[in-house]
Amino acid sequence: MFHVKQIEMIIEGNIVDVHQRDIYPAAVHIEEGRIVKIIRTSKEYKNFILPGLVDSHVHIESSMLIPSRFAALVVPRGTVAIVSDPHEIANVNGVGGVEYMMRDAEKVPLKCFFGVPSCVPATDFETSGGRIEPADVEYLLKGGACFLAEMMNFPGVVHGDSVVKAKLDLAKQFRVPIDGHAPGLLGDDLKSYAQAGITTDHESATLEEAQEKIALGIKTQIREGSAARNFEALHPLIQSQPYDTMLCTDDSHPDLILDQGHIDRLIRLGLSKGYSIFDLYQAAVLNPVAHYNLPVGLLQEGDPADFIVVDTLEDFRVLSTYIDGKKVAEHGEANFNLPAVEPINNFNCTLPLAQDLQIIAPKDNPQVQILVAEDGDLLTDAEIWKPKIRMGEVILADPEQDIAKIIVLNRYKKAAPVVGFIKNFGLKKGAFAGSVAHDSHNIVAIGVDDDSLLRVIAAVINAQGGIAAANQQDEMLLELPIAGLMSASDGNLVAERYKELNAFVREMGCTLKAPFMTMAFMSLLVIPTLKIGDQGLFDVSTFKFTSLFIDE
């Protein structure tokens, strides 16, 4: 972790004691990075002192920033620790990618606790740039990883896959928690999943689903990110299941963090629902610290001096952040130096030809199976579309019916693109693309004309990673040269550029709150129902490839 020479200091304010559920005026005495004593006073203070915030499940890569730059963005918002699954970069660079994240994170004060990605690749039905085998799990657990990250291969768990079992057994051998990922899994299969040692899940979309998982010993992480937002559905758990609930952001793009905050945003959401600060802190801080056994201070004598100062308990505006007794942020700005950047990437594809993007109708008025996206949700549906076209003709996107073309291109080797159709993005012209495409991070693009699709795919390839958008006149690009996922630029600059790209895509008609984030999950083959990967259209309910064309 980040080390600095400490001096004794005293911080005064209204202490929010989350253990005793009490608020009182006091002076916090700090020495050598720890709280040595907390002395009550008779003074009146306007500010409040609370433990620092903890994100119980986050993929740093989704912020499009390397860990050190991510830290500079979230520490001023009161986050002192995160529990991170680096499976995005692991899908690109394997074990080397995980170690890259650990090295960069060690150079800044944010306390980053990394897990071992358990499912790299997420399935064997897509092409990734790296793999994590059982021997790698053991190596990384010995090297400092502190949990086995989300076990997405729930069919493998339920049916006793030998490789999955070997990874689970290693986690049990090292006595570390095992994170889950089981959207919609219920009944006997869920019982088998829980009995395998799964301890958390962040994929519940309904209260009933979360309660069934909690009853089997699986704690619920209420997720509120850029694309998937479950707080509204799950927040009653904060009171009904106070010790089995945590808060997390999972996947948040930089504009959301810059404009609305990080875990502090979820605290404000909870306050607006009428929950007490103590109930919210049970979920946001006490539970993740206990569950993952994190060496994070909780504003008690003898603890590391990890705490925040806020203006009021109604507005919850973070004034300053302290980690190990060092003031690391004040008035929205980080107070620490950023390290030099190491390069890392994996990009070996070539631009497809125009004819590669064409779909030829196999018969008169064919039935086409299309993806149906939902705003604010990772789940997709499937729908049958009948384009009015004759056999041998090229099937085009149909903006009038809100049907665009979706492309997935293998970025690790030369291969033909997979082409499908998708509904509900609202695009009227142009295209957008990115090398952020969960979980294997091939290139994904959505557009209504092939010329624009080729232009955005070319922009991403030429930059060796990034997100891009283009219409007939203009083109925009945010370069992501670190593994094709992240930037080493200042987080505020990345956030502003990302906002400009989102605005540009909305000008082309897109109606989604987070178009790039939603697009990135259209290739995630472990989230129901219909998805598309670099090897074909995939039916998650049967866990098999399916055809673009459906017989009548």
Side-chain angles (χ1 to χ4, degrees), residues 79-102:
T79 303
V80 301
I82 62 169
V83 179
S84 181
D85 174 6
H87 79 200
E88 314 301 352
I89 196 170
N91 272 279
V92 178
N93 295 102
V95 170
V98 177
E99 293 179 315
Y100 179 94
M101 302 292 277
M102 290 179 168

Side-chain angles (χ1 to χ4, degrees), residues 109 140 163 199 269 276 355 476 500:
L140 289 168
V163 174
T199 63
L269 271 176
S276 76
Q355 57 263 36
M476 291 185 68
E500 291 172 1

